[in-house]
Amino acid sequence: MSSPKDRWLDRDAGPIVRPYAMTRGRTRPRGDAFDLMSVVAVTGRMPYDSRRLSPEHLRILSLCRAPTPVVDVASDLAVPLGVARVLLGDLRDEALITVVDAPQNDQVPHEGVLREVLSGLRAL
């Protein structure tokens, strides 16, 4: 028989309440949503009060010193995409990050390169 504590803990994944706690119960960022492939980067502005930022916020600021896709932020933090979007929204609200413009057509890989990557992924 499982104890009440077992309902809140997945032995392999760890505590299941943690993402909810990281976002203080929020499921969406304020303002515009972040697209999966949106690229974010720090603005260079210093936080007004860094004590208000969670360890996850600080990690995002570190990751986004170079432009980073939202999906990579979620992966590097090992959090669900929705959680990453909320945390990114917090930093955007503080003007600590910004969404970088999408690459121009001459910066996008050619179709042949994309097909080779897709073929390589399928081979895995």
Side-chain angles (χ1 to χ4, degrees):
M1 182 170 205
S2 65
S3 70
K5 181 180 177 182
D6 290 338
R7 286 182 287 189
W8 303 108
L9 182 67
D10 180 333
R11 295 280 179 224
D12 295 328
I16 58 175
V17 178
R18 179 91 171 112
Y20 180 83
M22 271 190 268
T23 63
R24 294 184 295 271
R26 295 170 294 143
T27 58
R28 296 180 187 181
R30 289 184 286 274
D32 293 336
F34 291 91
D35 184 70
L36 183 67
M37 294 307 294
S38 294
V39 176
V40 293
V42 295
T43 60
R45 183 175 177 199
M46 297 301 293
Y48 174 71
D49 183 3
S50 61
R51 293 174 296 179
R52 289 182 36 204
L53 299 176
S54 70
E56 292 81 15
H57 287 117
L58 296 173
R59 176 85 174 117
I60 291 171
L61 291 174
S62 176
L63 288 170
C64 294
R65 287 185 183 140
T68 307
V70 170
V71 69
D72 288 350
V73 170
S75 175
D76 288 346
L77 289 177
V79 297
L81 186 59
V83 171
R85 286 176 170 157
V86 171
L87 296 173
L88 287 165
D90 294 343
L91 295 172
R92 181 184 55 198
D93 292 347
E94 297 287 327
L96 299 175
I97 63 162
T98 187
V99 176
V100 179
D101 291 332
Q104 301 302 318
N105 286 338
D106 60 341
Q107 296 174 333
V108 175
H110 292 5
E111 183 178 338
V113 173
L114 295 174
R115 288 186 187 279
E116 287 181 35
V117 169
L118 183 58
S119 177
L121 290 172
R122 287 183 179 148
L124 293 175

